[in-house]
Amino acid sequence: MAFEIITNPIRGVEARHGSAHHGVFDQGAHVWAYQPEGQAPVLWVSEQSTFSPGLPVRGGVPVVFPWFGAGLDGDLTPQHGFARTAMWHLSDTKDTLDRDGRLLVEYELDEAMTGQQDSFPFPYRAYLRAKFTPEYLGIELEVTNTGPNEFTFDNALHTYLAVGDVREISISGLDGATYLDKVTGETLTQSGDVSITGETDRVYTSTSDIVLTDPVLGRTLTISKSGSANTIVWNPWIDKSAAMPDFGDDEWTSMICIEAGNVLGSDVTLRPGETHHLKQRISFA
Ligand code: BG6
């Protein structure tokens, strides 16, 4: 068996085999490391991140659910919903890392969070599955309505990717997509590839695959998804990085968030018995 249960810095699953290294924290079912054999780390985690119960981890793949930001009316806390700081429990594993470099983990959101929340008082079940392979990282958030009434929620896989220099990357696949620029409040249409030249916080309406070209790391990643109406692209740049206590002042150069989700009015409605799957896959192109 290649994976072990760790408790430092917080509890979770960590696996090493050769130079491969994968990790998930129980809190938030938070995937924080994906590094197949022979590759540089794919996910970014801040050196200033807190690893404390109840506080979000800065980096990896936070699970945003059941609202994005402070919700559509701007009055919900905690920011990005409670799932990323809630406890999940490991419900299944399939570990063939030694044999074929694959590890599958499944987490279920703890029962206390599924129906007891004032801001989201609905019965449901939620699973997070992460598949680590030499070719790709696949993550799936599954939500099933187990109650008698329909409900609506936002979700996102808030993926932080490690890059050589964010000013040098290009993001293709969004040409022609409309987006809300959360920095200026404008709604705009993307023309050509996205390059990062300042604070970037955009919610695109798009179901397309993304290709992230990183000339500094010499790496190209394809980010595909399903069950997702929006792609969110986020880099805090200089001032916002300096203002965030869990984000190093100079770390903005080494990360980009490319998130798959359903947010800001593109939310998901489930009738009784229905299930929604949000999936994101990060592959080496
Ligand atoms: C992005 C949002 O998804 O997450 C940004 O679009 C936000 O507005 C960013 O700043 C980080 O959020 P947080 O809560 O992890 O600091």
Side-chain angles (χ1 to χ4, degrees):
M1 197 162 88
F3 83 86
E4 57 177 328
I5 303 295
I6 53 147
T7 54
N8 183 17
I10 48 178
R11 199 186 140 89
V13 164
E14 189 169 13
R16 291 180 190 273
H17 188 254
S19 66
H21 178 216
H22 310 311
V24 190
F25 294 130
D26 295 355
Q27 174 173 297
H30 193 128
V31 176
W32 59 274
Y34 169 56
Q35 182 177 12
E37 180 84 45
Q39 301 284 352
V42 172
L43 300 177
W44 178 93
V45 179
S46 171
E47 286 176 10
Q48 304 302 320
S49 182
T50 307
F51 299 101
S52 309
L55 290 176
V57 170
R58 177 68 69 192
V61 187
V63 173
V64 172
F65 175 84
W67 55 83
F68 178 76
L72 209 47
D73 297 331
D75 57 353
L76 297 176
T77 55
Q79 154 98 347
H80 284 335
F82 50 75
R84 67 175 173 171
T85 48
M87 286 310 288
W88 297 58
H89 65 267
L90 193 60
S91 45
D92 198 11
T93 56
K94 188 160 184 266
D95 178 5
T96 51
L97 202 57
D98 302 359
R99 215 166 58 232
D100 59 7
R102 289 175 165 241
L103 171 70
L104 174 73
V105 298
E106 178 190 81
Y107 275 85
E108 182 172 6
L109 185 60
D110 280 0
E111 210 149 286
M113 308 306 293
T114 54
Q116 310 297 316
Q117 307 304 300
D118 289 345
S119 309
F120 197 71
F122 308 105
Y124 64 95
R125 296 185 78 164
Y127 292 92
L128 191 286
R129 299 187 185 92
K131 190 189 256 186
F132 303 87
T133 82
E135 300 82 26
Y136 65 86
L137 167 66
I139 305 187
E140 172 187 4
L141 174 64
E142 175 185 301
V143 177
T144 299
N145 183 348
T146 56
N149 302 308
E150 73 172 35
F151 59 71
T152 295
F153 59 89
D154 297 330
N155 61 9
L157 296 168
H158 192 308
T159 306
Y160 287 75
L161 297 166
V163 296
D165 184 337
V166 77
R167 294 162 292 196
E168 303 290 331
I169 63 169
S170 72
I171 300 168
S172 65
L174 294 167
D175 186 27
T178 56
Y179 65 93
L180 172 67
D181 185 330
K182 290 177 68 186
V183 178
T184 64
E186 295 170 292
T187 298
L188 300 165
T189 301
Q190 181 65 36
S191 173
D193 291 351
V194 179
S195 47
I196 307 297
T197 57
E199 183 184 348
T200 303
D201 191 356
R202 300 179 182 178
V203 178
Y204 286 89
T205 301
S206 172
T207 55
S208 300
D209 289 1
I210 302 288
V211 176
L212 170 63
T213 307
D214 184 337
V216 175
L217 287 185
R219 179 162 77 187
T220 302
L221 297 174
T222 299
I223 301 135
S224 54
K225 61 177 188 161
S226 63
S228 160
N230 302 112
T231 296
I232 301 123
V233 178
W234 182 63
N235 179 278
W237 206 253
I238 300 165
D239 293 348
K240 192 156 182 184
S241 299
M244 287 187 287
D246 61 347
F247 202 113
D249 289 359
D250 300 324
E251 287 186 318
W252 59 272
T253 59
S254 57
M255 56 68 68
I256 185 75
C257 284
I258 299 182
E259 310 167 36
N262 298 284
V263 306
L264 300 184
S266 295
D267 39 25
V268 177
T269 297
L270 289 181
R271 288 179 300 204
E274 285 186 337
T275 297
H276 180 264
H277 293 98
L278 168 64
K279 297 184 187 178
Q280 191 186 47
R281 178 180 285 206
I282 301 155
S283 324
F284 297 94

